[in-house]
Amino acid sequence: MLQSIIEAADFIRSQTGDFKAEAGIILGTGLGGLVREIEINHTISYEDIPHFPVSTVEGHSGKLIFGLLGGKRVMVMQGRFHYYEGYTMQQVVFPVRVMKQLGIRFLFVSNASGGVNPNYEIGDVMMLTDHINLLPSNPLIGKNDPELGPRFPDMSEPYDRKMIHHAREFALYEDFKLHEGVYVSVSGPCFETPAEYKYMRIIGGDAVGMSTVPEVICARHMGLPCFAVSVITDLGVEGKIQEVTHQDVIAAASKAEVKMTAIFRHLIAKHL
Ligand code: HPA
């Protein structure tokens, strides 16, 4: 595995020269607009990178973008890999390992999710303070490579407390609503039944989605600090549950991505 990570990273370096990103950013469904804020130096299609999986889902275009955001060097995954697409957990997290190999010091992640906290509304943004992994697997299952991280990694601080603090201050200063909550990850691809949404709330969740947790587990295994936000695209709250389609999710995410982009840009510019 280490060999394929190194080969992918070497290929990317052969394309980007001495550009060294300080942070990696993974953009969720309908949240690709952050790329418009980047002064782009290089773009690489996933299909050109050795060992990289190729994205299949609508709304994910599958490119690695290198450039400046808030004056800092970043690399952005426009399009991510989901377990429901049929990838193994190891494939889902492979790009995170490659980004770490390329030298990133921080990982930012975004996703679209269903709100189960009754105070949430469509279009709200929630930063993750913690998560509950209900995916049927874990990317670290299998032989552990000690060069990547320990067999039994600590998860006492899945999301970086300092960044959460800075994001909270930023939202207060800018006077916008930024929730803090627990993200529950599920396999999908079905959205939840009403009883399942209720269960997510009972176990302590504020939002539910089909991504992010594998990447964060993999990043924390390698000691990489993480910050993640969910854009609430639909509600799994009793009395407010409506039929959901992927198009609804994309439309709601596109509207809220301005806030998400502002938070990421601020944290990267001022606190990285
Ligand atoms: N459930 C799971 N994943 C999601 C949802 C949801 O309601 N909305 C967007 N991604």
Side-chain angles (χ1 to χ4, degrees):
M1 161 137 64
L2 203 54
Q3 192 52 35
S4 45
I5 298 167
I6 291 168
E7 282 171 22
D10 283 349
F11 171 81
I12 292 168
R13 259 192 232 102
S14 76
Q15 306 292 301
T16 58
D18 56 8
F19 184 97
K20 193 159 180 271
E22 294 171 73
I25 304 175
I26 304 176
L27 296 176
T29 305
L31 296 167
L34 174 136
V35 167
R36 287 195 291 273
E37 308 266 326
I38 295 182
E39 283 175 54
I40 299 178
N41 289 57
H42 308 278
T43 302
I44 305 177
S45 292
Y46 290 167
E47 60 256 30
D48 295 334
I49 306 171
H51 312 293
F52 238 63
V54 175
S55 190
T56 63
V57 77
E58 196 187 327
H60 293 253
S61 64
K63 275 182 262 166
L64 259 185
I65 293 159
F66 299 79
L68 289 180
L69 179 67
K72 300 271 172 66
R73 289 184 307 275
V74 297
M75 59 189 290
V76 181
M77 284 180 66
Q78 190 175 31
R80 63 139 67 86
F81 304 104
H82 300 88
Y83 188 66
Y84 64 72
E85 292 176 87
Y87 299 113
T88 63
M89 279 289 179
Q90 281 73 22
Q91 286 177 304
V92 169
V93 302
F94 183 75
V96 179
R97 291 180 164 149
V98 173
M99 290 197 285
K100 175 71 166 55
Q101 178 70 21
L102 288 167
I104 63 164
R105 293 187 291 106
F106 207 98
L107 182 68
F108 292 86
V109 188
S110 66
N111 62 60
S113 70
V116 295
N117 182 320
N119 298 322
Y120 291 4
E121 291 168 54
I122 291 174
D124 283 357
V125 178
M126 175 190 100
M127 59 178 164
L128 279 63
T129 53
D130 206 339
H131 69 229
I132 297 173
N133 184 20
L134 291 191
L135 279 156
S137 191
N138 180 305
L140 306 181
I141 286 176
K143 192 167 181 295
N144 185 56
D145 190 334
E147 288 201 45
L148 296 176
R151 170 74 290 187
F152 299 106
D154 170 68
M155 284 296 275
S156 60
E157 191 180 341
Y159 301 93
D160 189 70
R161 277 194 212 108
K162 267 198 221 123
M163 283 296 189
I164 291 172
H165 170 76
H166 293 314
R168 189 185 295 136
E169 304 255 284
F170 176 65
L172 268 175
Y173 182 78
E174 295 284 318
D175 197 24
F176 70 71
K177 186 165 56 168
L178 177 61
H179 299 298
E180 300 182 23
V182 175
Y183 177 88
V184 184
S185 62
V186 293
S187 73
C190 330
F191 294 112
E192 287 64 37
T193 66
E196 287 166 344
Y197 280 127
K198 190 172 174 185
Y199 169 74
M200 305 300 164
R201 185 65 188 151
I202 289 169
I203 64 169
D206 294 290
V208 52
M210 306 174 196
S211 67
T212 302
V213 169
E215 293 102 318
V216 168
I217 289 174
C218 168
R220 297 303 300 131
H221 178 235
M222 300 183 293
L224 199 57
C226 298
F227 178 82
V229 295
S230 285
V231 167
I232 307 299
T233 56
D234 52 276
L235 296 174
V237 173
E238 219 172 327
K240 294 188 186 170
I241 297 175
Q242 289 185 337
E243 195 180 320
V244 199
T245 66
H246 186 57
Q247 282 67 30
D248 298 333
V249 168
I250 292 177
S254 307
K255 277 192 205 139
E257 80 173 350
V258 180
K259 267 199 230 171
M260 181 216 87
T261 301
I263 298 166
F264 279 11
R265 194 202 309 106
H266 171 81
L267 293 177
I268 287 168
K270 301 271 192 263
H271 301 291
L272 202 61

